[in-house]
């Protein structure tokens, strides 16, 4: 790889580590700044960024091992770390989204039994297309198959979950809508990064740098910024629901 | 590198690690010594020094890898760590400054939506000039471009934020003014260190040692001392606003 390309990916992966690691500590320490009923959502958010921090450490090492000055012959960059990460974190991102609403138990289960398997399926179907283990199908076919559960998730979030929003305050409704848009915008980056690398034959540096940069920025927005927005929603709802809490935590 | 030059940078980077790491633990443990409404500012301060501690560990390793007795051929010192660090921490330094004032929610958002993007832009525009990836422009042009958001930040802090200070007590006003001066003085060191290295053609040891020493001292003042001043302001305000707290925490 060229020095510039190497530096870009190297610094992006390190940015990924730092973002994930310290969003985790912030959320873990910050969970006591929300009411107990919202702490589960904050803890799940911290778990997501912690899992991602682990995988970013692994990816960083894998990348340096494959392309760095001490590169070992035969070592190759393992994109599998990303898919293992997403397989765990993407369902959890939907869990934190539902958890922060603090819905009635039944409404919550009904959303989760549909969102969680769809998210796992979406990731599992993307991996063969991105890793080269295509099992006889074109990468674009795997990309397309993976899009079906993605569309189903969007349907549940925008149509089904929309019905649960009516009972929330206006400030919360606005934040949840921002959250959904962030999810749509960031999850939309993954297919673009996927496509950037899809038609590369063998190793193509530009496609590789674009893909890794795209995945990393999308990950930081979809996990760190998303987790911090979940935290903000939990803070707003805590303030709305408990006068004593609001007086202790906020000026106005 | 000469032994003297090597030792200076080596010891400065280690000083950076120690300062960042233990300011973090002090602030994390100390956050309960302020009222709940000021804990967010202290937590953000701890997050800043934690992010910087991570990057100082990385820079230390990168430096030893590039110049140490076991230096690896082809390894070079990665200045990108500093820019990734600043990209995350400089916006957060402005967040902690605004958070410790505990302004009304709207005044707070109005300051942050202007300060945070300006800070991120300032760092992003500095990197090409310092890393050699100049994309056809002279490093001084990047330095100059980066100065525009810096001046805007100063305007917001000294003019706009000044208006919010009137409602604070005299002791707090004095501290905030000291805080702003510390910010101006330390952030002013970065361009000087930037310029020290700007016109070096290839690797120039004196410029390199000056730049790394300058950046490290400025970082310690702008993050550790700054974070401890935020903590002091939070303590003063906590004492002013809650008689029970003041009785428990202070002698007089």
């Amino acid at each position: 790889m060229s020095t510039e390309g190497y530096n870009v990916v190297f610094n992006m992966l390190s940015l990924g580590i730092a973002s994930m690691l310290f969003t985790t500590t912030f959320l873990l320490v910050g969970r006591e700044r929300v009411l107990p009923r919202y702490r589960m959502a904050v803890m799940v958010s911290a778990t997501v960024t912690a899992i991602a921090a682990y995988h970013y450490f692994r990816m960083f090492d894998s990348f340096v091992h494959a392309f760095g000055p001490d590169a070992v012959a035969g070592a190759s960059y393992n994109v599998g770390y990303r898919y293992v990460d997403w397989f765990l974190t993407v369902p959890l991102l939907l869990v934190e989204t539902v958890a922060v609403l603090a819905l009635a138990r039944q409404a919550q289960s009904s959303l989760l039994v549909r969102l969680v398997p769809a998210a796992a399926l979406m990731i599992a179907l993307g991996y063969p297309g991105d890793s080269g283990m295509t099992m006889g199908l074109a990468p674009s076919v795997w990309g397309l198959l993976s899009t079906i559960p993605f569309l189903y998730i969007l349907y549940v979030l925008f149509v089904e979950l929309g019905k649960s929003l009516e009972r929330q305050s206006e400030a919360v409704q606005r934040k949840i809508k921002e959250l959904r848009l962030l999810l749509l915008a960031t999850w939309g980056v993954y297919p673009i990064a996927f496509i950037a690398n899809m038609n590369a034959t063998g190793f193509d540096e530009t496609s590789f740098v674009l893909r890794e940069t795209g995945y990393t920025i999308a990950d930081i927005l979809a996990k760190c910024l998303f987790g911090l927005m979940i935290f903000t929603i939990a803070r707003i709802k805590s303030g709305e629901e408990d006068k004593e809490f609001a007086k202790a935590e906020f000026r106005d």
Side-chain angles (χ1 to χ4, degrees), chain A:
Chain A
M1 283 186 80
S2 69
T3 311
E4 287 78 12
Y6 180 77
N7 282 345
V8 168
V9 176
F10 187 90
N11 287 325
M12 289 307 294
L13 291 176
S14 182
L15 172 67
I17 293 176
S19 308
M20 299 301 169
L21 203 54
F22 301 108
T23 304
T24 307
T25 54
F26 179 85
L27 291 172
L28 282 182
V29 176
R31 78 190 187 287
E32 53 188 46
R33 306 258 68 76
V34 303
L35 287 181
R37 73 175 67 103
Y38 296 112
R39 286 186 193 158
M40 198 62 90
V42 175
M43 278 162 55
V44 175
S45 306
T47 304
V48 164
T49 48
I51 293 171
Y54 163 77
H55 287 108
Y56 269 88
F57 273 112
R58 287 288 199 194
M59 283 187 272
F60 184 89
D61 286 349
S62 173
F63 177 71
V64 171
H65 216 56
F67 297 105
D70 311 310
V72 179
S76 67
Y77 178 72
N78 174 30
V79 76
Y81 285 130
R82 292 206 180 267
Y83 280 83
V84 172
D85 178 72
W86 294 335
F87 189 72
L88 295 170
T89 57
V90 172
L92 289 175
L93 283 169
L94 296 168
V95 171
E96 68 188 70
T97 308
V98 173
V100 80
L101 295 175
L103 302 174
R105 196 177 287 263
Q106 215 189 336
Q108 178 163 323
S109 314
S110 139
L111 285 168
L112 289 179
V113 294
R114 285 177 294 160
L115 288 172
V116 168
L121 193 65
M122 173 175 80
I123 303 304
L125 289 171
Y127 179 64
D130 219 3
S131 65
M133 298 168 64
T134 53
M135 295 183 269
L137 293 172
S140 56
V141 174
W142 290 110
L144 222 60
L145 286 174
S146 166
T147 307
I148 299 168
F150 176 53
L151 294 176
Y152 179 68
I153 291 169
L154 291 184
Y155 163 77
V156 175
L157 286 181
F158 281 80
V159 181
E160 303 277 311
L161 189 129
K163 293 174 201 155
S164 309
L165 285 187
E166 286 155 24
R167 255 174 298 166
Q168 312 281 341
S169 77
E170 274 205 29
V172 172
Q173 285 196 27
R174 201 168 44 239
K175 282 282 167 203
I176 303 263
K177 283 173 187 167
E178 285 173 24
L179 196 73
R180 278 196 311 207
L181 286 181
L182 176 68
L183 189 147
L184 184 60
T186 54
W187 291 23
V189 176
Y190 297 105
I192 296 169
F194 179 96
I195 291 166
N197 201 50
M198 196 175 69
N199 296 316
T201 49
F203 178 78
D204 174 63
E205 185 181 311
T206 312
S207 311
F208 178 80
V209 172
L210 275 179
R211 187 188 69 176
E212 290 305 312
T213 306
Y215 281 163
T216 306
I217 294 174
D219 266 356
I220 293 172
L221 297 174
K223 296 187 170 80
C224 300
L225 182 58
F226 196 84
L228 294 172
M229 283 176 70
I230 293 278
F231 181 67
T232 307
I233 293 170
R235 294 265 295 167
I236 295 173
K237 284 168 73 83
S238 299
E240 285 172 356
E241 289 166 23
D242 186 324
K243 282 216 163 58
E244 287 304 309
F245 176 90
K247 222 169 99 183
E249 290 282 339
F250 304 113
R251 168 56 57 100
D252 54 332

mmCIF file of all heavy atoms in Angstrom, chain A residues 44-62:
data_model
loop_
_atom_site.group_PDB
_atom_site.id
_atom_site.type_symbol
_atom_site.label_atom_id
_atom_site.label_comp_id
_atom_site.label_asym_id
_atom_site.label_seq_id
_atom_site.Cartn_x
_atom_site.Cartn_y
_atom_site.Cartn_z
ATOM 1 N N VAL A 44 -26.863 -0.959 27.615
ATOM 2 C CA VAL A 44 -26.771 -1.663 26.321
ATOM 3 C C VAL A 44 -25.949 -0.822 25.328
ATOM 4 O O VAL A 44 -25.106 -1.357 24.601
ATOM 5 C CB VAL A 44 -28.173 -1.989 25.750
ATOM 6 C CG1 VAL A 44 -28.070 -2.604 24.358
ATOM 7 C CG2 VAL A 44 -28.913 -2.938 26.681
ATOM 8 N N SER A 45 -26.158 0.494 25.342
ATOM 9 C CA SER A 45 -25.357 1.375 24.472
ATOM 10 C C SER A 45 -23.870 1.236 24.782
ATOM 11 O O SER A 45 -23.038 1.184 23.870
ATOM 12 C CB SER A 45 -25.762 2.842 24.669
ATOM 13 O OG SER A 45 -27.142 3.006 24.481
ATOM 14 N N ALA A 46 -23.530 1.190 26.081
ATOM 15 C CA ALA A 46 -22.122 1.045 26.477
ATOM 16 C C ALA A 46 -21.587 -0.324 26.058
ATOM 17 O O ALA A 46 -20.421 -0.447 25.671
ATOM 18 C CB ALA A 46 -21.977 1.231 27.988
ATOM 19 N N THR A 47 -22.432 -1.352 26.117
ATOM 20 C CA THR A 47 -22.004 -2.693 25.697
ATOM 21 C C THR A 47 -21.690 -2.709 24.205
ATOM 22 O O THR A 47 -20.698 -3.310 23.778
ATOM 23 C CB THR A 47 -23.110 -3.722 26.023
ATOM 24 O OG1 THR A 47 -23.403 -3.629 27.424
ATOM 25 C CG2 THR A 47 -22.664 -5.129 25.693
ATOM 26 N N VAL A 48 -22.521 -2.029 23.423
ATOM 27 C CA VAL A 48 -22.291 -1.954 21.974
ATOM 28 C C VAL A 48 -20.930 -1.329 21.678
ATOM 29 O O VAL A 48 -20.126 -1.877 20.915
ATOM 30 C CB VAL A 48 -23.409 -1.139 21.287
ATOM 31 C CG1 VAL A 48 -23.004 -0.715 19.886
ATOM 32 C CG2 VAL A 48 -24.697 -1.949 21.255
ATOM 33 N N THR A 49 -20.642 -0.180 22.291
ATOM 34 C CA THR A 49 -19.367 0.495 21.986
ATOM 35 C C THR A 49 -18.186 -0.292 22.556
ATOM 36 O O THR A 49 -17.098 -0.279 21.974
ATOM 37 C CB THR A 49 -19.364 1.949 22.495
ATOM 38 O OG1 THR A 49 -19.820 1.977 23.852
ATOM 39 C CG2 THR A 49 -20.286 2.821 21.663
ATOM 40 N N ALA A 50 -18.398 -1.014 23.667
ATOM 41 C CA ALA A 50 -17.320 -1.844 24.227
ATOM 42 C C ALA A 50 -16.988 -2.998 23.284
ATOM 43 O O ALA A 50 -15.816 -3.280 23.016
ATOM 44 C CB ALA A 50 -17.720 -2.367 25.605
ATOM 45 N N ILE A 51 -18.011 -3.661 22.754
ATOM 46 C CA ILE A 51 -17.782 -4.754 21.791
ATOM 47 C C ILE A 51 -17.041 -4.203 20.573
ATOM 48 O O ILE A 51 -16.088 -4.811 20.081
ATOM 49 C CB ILE A 51 -19.132 -5.396 21.362
ATOM 50 C CG1 ILE A 51 -19.781 -6.118 22.543
ATOM 51 C CG2 ILE A 51 -18.927 -6.349 20.188
ATOM 52 C CD1 ILE A 51 -21.206 -6.601 22.268
ATOM 53 N N ALA A 52 -17.473 -3.023 20.111
ATOM 54 C CA ALA A 52 -16.831 -2.424 18.938
ATOM 55 C C ALA A 52 -15.384 -2.038 19.246
ATOM 56 O O ALA A 52 -14.505 -2.191 18.392
ATOM 57 C CB ALA A 52 -17.622 -1.219 18.467
ATOM 58 N N ALA A 53 -15.110 -1.538 20.462
ATOM 59 C CA ALA A 53 -13.732 -1.176 20.832
ATOM 60 C C ALA A 53 -12.832 -2.400 20.721
ATOM 61 O O ALA A 53 -11.746 -2.340 20.133
ATOM 62 C CB ALA A 53 -13.688 -0.612 22.249
ATOM 63 N N TYR A 54 -13.291 -3.530 21.246
ATOM 64 C CA TYR A 54 -12.521 -4.777 21.145
ATOM 65 C C TYR A 54 -12.213 -5.088 19.679
ATOM 66 O O TYR A 54 -11.074 -5.368 19.317
ATOM 67 C CB TYR A 54 -13.295 -5.938 21.796
ATOM 68 C CG TYR A 54 -12.765 -7.289 21.374
ATOM 69 C CD1 TYR A 54 -11.593 -7.791 21.921
ATOM 70 C CD2 TYR A 54 -13.408 -8.045 20.392
ATOM 71 C CE1 TYR A 54 -11.082 -9.018 21.514
ATOM 72 C CE2 TYR A 54 -12.913 -9.267 19.976
ATOM 73 C CZ TYR A 54 -11.748 -9.749 20.540
ATOM 74 O OH TYR A 54 -11.237 -10.950 20.125
ATOM 75 N N HIS A 55 -13.226 -5.033 18.829
ATOM 76 C CA HIS A 55 -13.003 -5.390 17.431
ATOM 77 C C HIS A 55 -12.115 -4.383 16.710
ATOM 78 O O HIS A 55 -11.349 -4.747 15.821
ATOM 79 C CB HIS A 55 -14.344 -5.582 16.700
ATOM 80 C CG HIS A 55 -15.025 -6.848 17.105
ATOM 81 N ND1 HIS A 55 -16.154 -6.876 17.882
ATOM 82 C CD2 HIS A 55 -14.702 -8.143 16.887
ATOM 83 C CE1 HIS A 55 -16.510 -8.134 18.104
ATOM 84 N NE2 HIS A 55 -15.641 -8.918 17.514
ATOM 85 N N TYR A 56 -12.200 -3.105 17.097
ATOM 86 C CA TYR A 56 -11.309 -2.125 16.471
ATOM 87 C C TYR A 56 -9.852 -2.343 16.875
ATOM 88 O O TYR A 56 -8.945 -2.161 16.055
ATOM 89 C CB TYR A 56 -11.769 -0.684 16.732
ATOM 90 C CG TYR A 56 -12.689 -0.220 15.634
ATOM 91 C CD1 TYR A 56 -14.056 -0.448 15.713
ATOM 92 C CD2 TYR A 56 -12.191 0.382 14.491
ATOM 93 C CE1 TYR A 56 -14.906 -0.074 14.683
ATOM 94 C CE2 TYR A 56 -13.023 0.765 13.455
ATOM 95 C CZ TYR A 56 -14.382 0.533 13.554
ATOM 96 O OH TYR A 56 -15.203 0.896 12.526
ATOM 97 N N PHE A 57 -9.604 -2.758 18.113
ATOM 98 C CA PHE A 57 -8.236 -3.144 18.500
ATOM 99 C C PHE A 57 -7.749 -4.292 17.606
ATOM 100 O O PHE A 57 -6.638 -4.270 17.085
ATOM 101 C CB PHE A 57 -8.183 -3.585 19.967
ATOM 102 C CG PHE A 57 -7.967 -2.451 20.940
ATOM 103 C CD1 PHE A 57 -8.972 -2.071 21.821
ATOM 104 C CD2 PHE A 57 -6.757 -1.780 20.983
ATOM 105 C CE1 PHE A 57 -8.780 -1.032 22.725
ATOM 106 C CE2 PHE A 57 -6.548 -0.742 21.890
ATOM 107 C CZ PHE A 57 -7.567 -0.368 22.754
ATOM 108 N N ARG A 58 -8.603 -5.292 17.433
ATOM 109 C CA ARG A 58 -8.246 -6.450 16.595
ATOM 110 C C ARG A 58 -7.988 -6.051 15.157
ATOM 111 O O ARG A 58 -7.049 -6.509 14.531
ATOM 112 C CB ARG A 58 -9.385 -7.479 16.630
ATOM 113 C CG ARG A 58 -9.500 -8.234 17.927
ATOM 114 C CD ARG A 58 -8.362 -9.197 18.044
ATOM 115 N NE ARG A 58 -8.658 -10.227 19.027
ATOM 116 C CZ ARG A 58 -7.726 -11.045 19.516
ATOM 117 N NH1 ARG A 58 -6.478 -10.960 19.122
ATOM 118 N NH2 ARG A 58 -8.064 -11.962 20.398
ATOM 119 N N MET A 59 -8.877 -5.183 14.611
ATOM 120 C CA MET A 59 -8.732 -4.780 13.210
ATOM 121 C C MET A 59 -7.457 -3.974 13.023
ATOM 122 O O MET A 59 -6.745 -4.141 12.030
ATOM 123 C CB MET A 59 -9.932 -3.935 12.786
ATOM 124 C CG MET A 59 -11.165 -4.769 12.511
ATOM 125 S SD MET A 59 -12.478 -3.753 11.821
ATOM 126 C CE MET A 59 -13.278 -3.175 13.299
ATOM 127 N N PHE A 60 -7.170 -3.090 13.994
ATOM 128 C CA PHE A 60 -5.950 -2.281 13.949
ATOM 129 C C PHE A 60 -4.731 -3.205 13.869
ATOM 130 O O PHE A 60 -3.867 -3.039 13.003
ATOM 131 C CB PHE A 60 -5.901 -1.410 15.206
ATOM 132 C CG PHE A 60 -4.757 -0.450 15.266
ATOM 133 C CD1 PHE A 60 -4.878 0.824 14.729
ATOM 134 C CD2 PHE A 60 -3.568 -0.797 15.874
ATOM 135 C CE1 PHE A 60 -3.815 1.723 14.791
ATOM 136 C CE2 PHE A 60 -2.508 0.092 15.941
ATOM 137 C CZ PHE A 60 -2.634 1.354 15.406
ATOM 138 N N ASP A 61 -4.675 -4.197 14.755
ATOM 139 C CA ASP A 61 -3.545 -5.136 14.750
ATOM 140 C C ASP A 61 -3.490 -5.940 13.457
ATOM 141 O O ASP A 61 -2.422 -6.145 12.890
ATOM 142 C CB ASP A 61 -3.649 -6.094 15.947
ATOM 143 C CG ASP A 61 -3.284 -5.402 17.246
ATOM 144 O OD1 ASP A 61 -2.765 -4.262 17.183
ATOM 145 O OD2 ASP A 61 -3.520 -5.981 18.319
ATOM 146 N N SER A 62 -4.671 -6.388 12.999
ATOM 147 C CA SER A 62 -4.732 -7.174 11.775
ATOM 148 C C SER A 62 -4.214 -6.355 10.587
ATOM 149 O O SER A 62 -3.460 -6.850 9.744
ATOM 150 C CB SER A 62 -6.176 -7.616 11.533
ATOM 151 O OG SER A 62 -6.325 -8.237 10.287
#
